[in-house]
Amino acid sequence: MNSEQQYITLYNESAELIKSHAPEVMNAVRDQAFDDFKRLGFPSKKVERYKYTDMEKLFAPDYGLNLNRLEIPVDPYEAFRCDVPNLSTSLYFVVNDQFYTKALPKAKLTNGIIIDSLAHAAAEHPNLIGKYYGRIANTAGDAVTALNTMLAQDGLFVYVPRNAKADRTIQVINILRSDVDLMVNRRVLIVLDEGAEAKLLFCDHAADNRKFLGTQVIEAFVGNNASLELNCLEETHYKNTRVSNVYIEQQRDSRVNHNVITLHNGVTRNQLDLVFKGEGAECQCNGCVIADKNQHVDNNTLIDHQVGHCTSNELYKYVLNDSAVGAFAGKVLVRHGAEKTKSQETNQNLCATKKAHMYTQPMLEIYADDVQCNHGSTVGQLNDAAIFYMEQRGVSFEEAKLLLEFAFINEVIDKMQLEPLRDRLHHLVEMRFRGQLNKCEGCSLCK
């Protein structure tokens, strides 16, 4: 049996149950997503965008699903802490794939800002959700997005109306919690109207020593002259499989800063599809990966310049130890008429051991004349001369190695806009290299 057959059978048998626990706006695109999934099947490694990760193997195990939306026994506000010192945040939780509603931040949202369960928001604002949900998440072209769309029952909705600004960083803790091996399908919809501003921090954690398979689809619409900072931090464990697809659409003069940081994981595949729809827009997309043991991290990006006078910058850095495997494939597409495009794509990688493997494939596809586009990648090892220099001055080999790795990865962290988050990540990265980062400080779930 192919891996996709179990999901086809599941949907055929449970479609009505899935729909009964989901809002109409999500159900409206569900059957089409199922048809797309049946047609596509899981991509093989012969498919260009998936050639570094065996998707069929990842989805082959038979995981449980919480289709009946049974309540998960956890109080994250009492048990879980994921603090960023000196950063004032509005803190929300998503337990598996359900927005946690029993306790919400005491500070009231102002200026018409909405942060809510996707299911509840769909009932309260059906026209608003219906206008955006599923619009850029391409089920016809991506099997994982199709699978998520046909199975997802809830998620997170963030809306910032015209010229409004979220005063605090919106921090969302995604907690994986289960007594059995579990599959979760999480959905996120972010809408920033014209002139709106918001900063978001997503932190992924696994609270139990179980095998988790998570799919996530994020759709972000950034209006004219709006500004979005989207930070995604993964600190799970070696039994976790994460497949995340992020879709971002930018309008005229908008700004996006997207940062994805992998500190602890099992198998991770992150995909980013960003499209410029209006002139004068800018994006900064950064990735930071620290992997060891047998961890696998695959980042795949597509930056689509559909109009002119837009600027994109990408910087992804990997530090791989032991037998870890990393992959980066990034494509910048400059379409006809997208004159005055500026684009820089850089992937730099450090294989600290001989058994670590890195695959890198930066690409440019240009159909316009007056553009400034560059791309490049490097794969190297630790500088023996630099290590020898430090050892001659009394620094141990392990400490010298750590200092070089730390300095290498810091360039990505320093590009983040939130200074308290930068400081916190500097600390977490150092702990990670020292082998001390097993869980967040104050987290009683992971004891």
Side-chain angles (χ1 to χ4, degrees):
M1 179 185 294
N2 295 330
S3 294
E4 59 264 13
Q5 186 58 49
Q6 65 176 311
Y7 299 100
I8 293 171
T9 301
L10 170 70
Y11 191 80
N12 282 329
E13 295 177 349
S14 307
E16 293 308 312
L17 173 63
I18 294 170
K19 292 176 182 179
S20 69
H21 292 284
E24 179 55 35
V25 69
M26 299 181 76
N27 291 336
V29 296
R30 197 178 301 280
D31 287 344
Q32 182 59 56
F34 176 58
D35 290 339
D36 289 334
F37 179 75
K38 285 193 297 182
R39 174 178 53 83
L40 292 168
F42 286 117
S44 71
K45 297 180 77 171
K46 294 181 180 179
V47 176
E48 182 69 23
R49 295 197 74 175
Y50 283 92
K51 66 181 183 180
Y52 299 120
T53 303
D54 189 341
M55 302 304 293
E56 191 166 349
K57 180 180 178 181
L58 294 186
F59 284 87
D62 184 11
Y63 289 88
L65 289 97
N66 185 13
L67 299 182
N68 278 306
R69 320 311 291 159
L70 300 176
E71 183 176 334
I72 306 299
V74 60
D75 183 352
Y77 284 93
E78 290 298 323
F80 200 87
R81 298 291 183 271
C82 191
D83 295 330
V84 179
N86 303 316
L87 180 64
S88 179
T89 69
S90 295
L91 184 62
Y92 299 86
F93 289 88
V94 175
V95 180
N96 296 332
D97 52 8
Q98 286 185 279
F99 185 76
Y100 188 80
T101 57
K102 287 193 172 182
L104 296 173
K106 295 180 180 179
K108 297 296 183 182
L109 296 170
T110 58
N111 303 321
I113 296 173
I114 301 171
I115 303 173
D116 200 354
S117 156
L118 189 55
H120 183 260
E124 296 289 320
H125 312 278
N127 293 334
L128 179 60
I129 304 296
K131 181 180 178 181
Y132 293 102
Y133 181 80
R135 203 183 89 193
I136 55 175
N138 183 17
T139 62
D142 187 273
V144 174
T145 299
L147 180 68
N148 176 279
T149 303
M150 78 190 212
L151 295 179
Q153 295 169 285
D154 193 10
L156 172 71
F157 177 57
V158 177
Y159 173 67
V160 185
R162 183 174 181 176
N163 295 326
K165 180 179 179 180
D167 296 330
R168 297 183 175 196
T169 297
I170 301 164
Q171 186 179 12
V172 180
I173 311 297
N174 295 318
I175 300 177
L176 294 170
R177 170 77 177 88
S178 179
D179 295 328
V180 298
D181 296 350
L182 186 70
M183 178 184 187
V184 302
N185 299 284
R186 188 183 306 122
R187 198 72 182 220
V188 179
L189 177 60
I190 303 168
V191 179
L192 272 60
D193 279 347
E194 180 176 355
E197 295 184 28
K199 295 179 173 64
L200 288 90
L201 170 59
F202 289 90
C203 301
D204 284 17
H205 300 275
D208 292 296
N209 188 28
R210 308 297 309 190
K211 292 181 180 179
F212 291 101
L213 169 62
T215 72
Q216 174 178 266
V217 172
I218 298 177
E219 295 179 280
F221 296 84
V222 188
N224 295 341
N225 200 37
S227 177
L228 171 66
E229 178 170 352
L230 178 59
N231 304 289
C232 300
L233 171 63
E234 182 181 4
E235 293 180 82
T236 56
H237 56 53
Y238 74 98
K239 291 184 178 180
N240 187 63
T241 298
R242 163 191 159 104
V243 184
S244 174
N245 289 358
V246 177
Y247 296 88
I248 301 176
E249 181 181 281
Q250 290 190 240
Q251 301 296 336
R252 174 179 51 81
D253 297 324
S254 62
R255 299 163 302 282
V256 166
N257 189 294
H258 177 255
N259 305 293
V260 55
I261 305 101
T262 306
L263 294 184
H264 266 300
N265 75 308
V267 177
T268 296
R269 186 181 189 276
N270 298 312
Q271 182 170 301
L272 168 66
D273 285 27
L274 185 148
V275 58
F276 291 110
K277 289 289 189 178
E279 294 189 351
E282 300 179 2
C283 76
Q284 178 75 53
C285 303
N286 306 304
C288 165
V289 174
I290 301 172
D292 54 18
K293 302 181 178 65
N294 294 304
Q295 294 167 339
H296 178 106
V297 184
D298 178 357
N299 282 293
N300 188 290
T301 69
L302 171 61
I303 309 297
D304 188 353
H305 288 261
Q306 294 190 359
V307 296
H309 299 273
C310 293
T311 302
S312 65
N313 290 289
E314 288 184 86
L315 175 63
Y316 280 74
K317 284 194 168 188
Y318 291 62
V319 176
L320 306 175
N321 276 280
D322 301 329
S323 298
V325 175
F328 172 81
K331 181 177 181 179
V332 176
L333 172 60
V334 183
R335 297 183 183 268
H336 290 288
E339 312 295 335
K340 303 295 183 181
T341 288
K342 294 182 179 179
S343 178
Q344 176 65 50
E345 182 183 39
T346 305
N347 173 226
Q348 296 176 334
N349 311 286
L350 182 62
C351 291
T353 63
K354 293 182 179 180
K355 292 184 178 180
H357 291 277
M358 182 69 203
Y359 302 93
T360 177
Q361 187 181 19
M363 296 170 281
L364 292 175
E365 190 172 331
I366 302 173
Y367 299 99
D369 295 326
D370 188 6
V371 301
Q372 299 178 35
C373 298
N374 297 286
H375 70 301
S377 67
T378 59
V379 180
Q381 296 181 325
L382 292 170
N383 189 317
D384 291 337
I387 291 179
F388 178 76
Y389 178 87
M390 285 186 279
E391 286 182 318
Q392 291 296 101
R393 283 151 182 79
V395 179
S396 69
F397 172 81
E398 288 300 324
E399 189 70 17
K401 176 175 177 289
L402 182 148
L403 290 172
L404 290 177
E405 292 174 336
F406 191 54
F408 178 80
I409 215 75
N410 271 352
E411 183 183 359
V412 176
I413 298 173
D414 288 339
K415 289 185 177 294
M416 296 179 182
Q417 296 175 355
L418 291 169
E419 184 177 353
L421 180 58
R422 291 199 304 267
D423 294 341
R424 179 62 174 163
L425 284 172
H426 284 310
H427 173 65
L428 291 178
V429 167
E430 181 179 355
M431 291 176 63
R432 175 69 173 91
F433 281 134
R434 294 187 184 278
Q436 299 172 353
L437 182 59
N438 295 317
K439 63 181 180 67
C440 288
E441 292 181 36
C443 171
S444 61
L445 278 177
C446 306
K447 288 182 179 179

